Amino acid sequence: MKKGMTKVSVLYANGEGKTFDMDYYCNKHLAIVGNLLGDALKGATVEQGLNSDAPFAAMGNMYFESPEAFEQAFGPHAEEIMGDLPNFTNIEPKIQVSKVLV
């Protein structure tokens, strides 16, 4: 992604008793999110922790032109997107909005 873009990271902490269905996340949830956010979503990546002691089970990253573009795209669909979480995880995600520097 290019310098100056807004990156929204959704972090799912790893730990005992926490579950995460990567297949559902990659093949269903991301399609839902992509359809709802439309052209405002400029790109996305998914990362999976490799070890059982990795701090995060998964990380989803979405890229937007600006924080405002993210807010305008996500806001109207937040309830539907967040409502899908129980279909793939019991982890409460942490959200970080960042500016891409390099």
Side-chain angles (χ1 to χ4, degrees):
M1 295 295 108
K2 67 184 180 183
K3 182 178 179 177
M5 292 190 84
T6 297
K7 177 183 175 185
V8 178
S9 299
V10 185
L11 309 167
Y12 298 90
N14 206 0
E16 190 173 328
K18 296 184 178 183
T19 61
F20 195 92
D21 183 341
M22 188 62 74
D23 182 62
Y24 183 96
Y25 185 70
C26 289
N27 296 304
K28 295 184 181 163
H29 183 71
L30 292 182
I32 293 168
V33 172
N35 287 333
L36 292 173
L37 300 183
D39 292 339
L41 181 62
K42 301 303 181 188
T45 62
V46 174
E47 301 169 37
Q48 180 177 24
L50 294 179
N51 315 11
S52 60
D53 63 345
F56 298 100
M59 294 180 271
N61 303 292
M62 300 176 289
Y63 297 88
F64 299 86
E65 289 295 332
S66 67
E68 296 79 19
F70 163 65
E71 292 168 8
Q72 290 172 358
F74 185 81
H77 306 290
E79 187 174 324
E80 184 174 355
I81 291 169
M82 299 305 285
D84 190 46
L85 267 62
N87 291 320
F88 62 90
T89 190
N90 64 355
I91 303 168
E92 182 73 29
K94 300 286 185 189
I95 311 294
Q96 177 166 315
V97 179
S98 305
K99 181 178 182 178
V100 175
L101 299 178
V102 178

